[in-house]
Amino acid sequence: METKSKLKVTAQGEREIVMTRDFDAPRDLVFECHTKPELLKKWLLGPDGWIMEVCEVNLKIGGKYRYVWKQIADGITMGMGGEFKVITRPELIHCTEVFDEAWYPGEALVQSHFLEKNERTTLIVTILYNSKETRDMVLKSPMEGGVAISYNRLEDLMETLTK
């Protein structure tokens, strides 16, 4: 898959990472792709060679979500989940994020803002970690590359959905 790096990742304050990505699609579609399991399983995969085996989304305040990915080559799995705290369709989602085998300590708070202008959507994801050390560890990880590949896959998916 081509790596079109349209993702901007920046540190903010002491404990936050802000990821910004523009999509040539209306906000309703970008929101749907972030909340419907049948669509999430097609793009939220990280690097090539992974599949999403479990994708459960109970999209309501207090509802839970759970994702489990499997690396095809060696069968390694990785799971994560969280709880929805705020949902304002199709503008905003606040949720928690915890990995099964924590590669960073504690729970993160994730705020996803979907801003639309002229049928283009800017997605701004702000992640608040429990410490500056955790935030800096995540910034040094390959997280940015995996997110960029997933968002490129999302862009390709949305092109097929709008034709």
Side-chain angles (χ1 to χ4, degrees):
M1 174 174 278
E2 178 186 347
T3 303
K4 316 174 227 179
S5 187
K6 299 177 182 175
L7 177 67
K8 180 180 175 189
V9 177
T10 57
Q12 176 175 285
E14 288 288 313
R15 301 184 301 147
E16 293 179 330
I17 292 175
V18 179
M19 300 187 297
T20 305
R21 174 69 154 76
D22 292 323
F23 294 98
D24 190 19
R27 174 170 55 186
D28 287 338
L29 181 57
V30 179
F31 188 89
E32 276 189 30
C33 287
H34 278 78
T35 56
K36 291 189 171 181
E38 66 272 21
L39 297 175
L40 284 162
K41 290 178 88 169
K42 293 181 178 179
W43 70 269
L44 187 55
L45 305 172
D48 290 341
W50 288 79
I51 60 171
M52 186 184 277
E53 286 193 314
V54 175
C55 184
E56 301 166 349
V57 176
N58 184 6
L59 189 64
K60 64 180 185 180
I61 306 298
K64 310 272 188 204
Y65 69 94
R66 175 145 178 82
Y67 309 142
V68 177
W69 296 271
K70 180 179 179 181
Q71 191 171 35
I72 297 167
D74 56 18
I76 292 173
T77 61
M78 180 176 73
M80 59 134 356
E83 179 179 327
F84 294 105
K85 301 293 188 183
V86 176
I87 302 165
T88 305
R89 187 183 304 261
E91 296 107 21
L92 179 67
I93 299 172
H94 290 193
C95 63
T96 60
E97 175 183 281
V98 178
F99 282 84
D100 295 352
E101 294 183 22
W103 63 280
Y104 64 81
E107 179 179 89
L109 299 175
V110 181
Q111 299 180 14
S112 301
H113 294 258
F114 303 81
L115 308 172
E116 184 178 84
K117 185 175 182 180
N118 300 326
E119 297 194 11
R120 289 186 51 85
T121 302
T122 299
L123 173 64
I124 303 171
V125 179
T126 304
I127 307 169
L128 175 65
Y129 296 96
N130 64 357
S131 70
K132 180 180 185 320
E133 292 75 23
T134 299
R135 189 272 312 267
D136 292 347
M137 181 180 74
V138 172
L139 282 172
K140 290 178 184 171
S141 77
M143 175 274 298
E144 182 175 349
V147 172
I149 290 169
S150 288
Y151 284 159
N152 290 345
R153 195 178 290 117
L154 171 58
E155 184 174 76
D156 293 343
L157 171 63
M158 288 190 296
E159 285 178 18
T160 66
L161 295 173
T162 57
K163 287 183 180 176

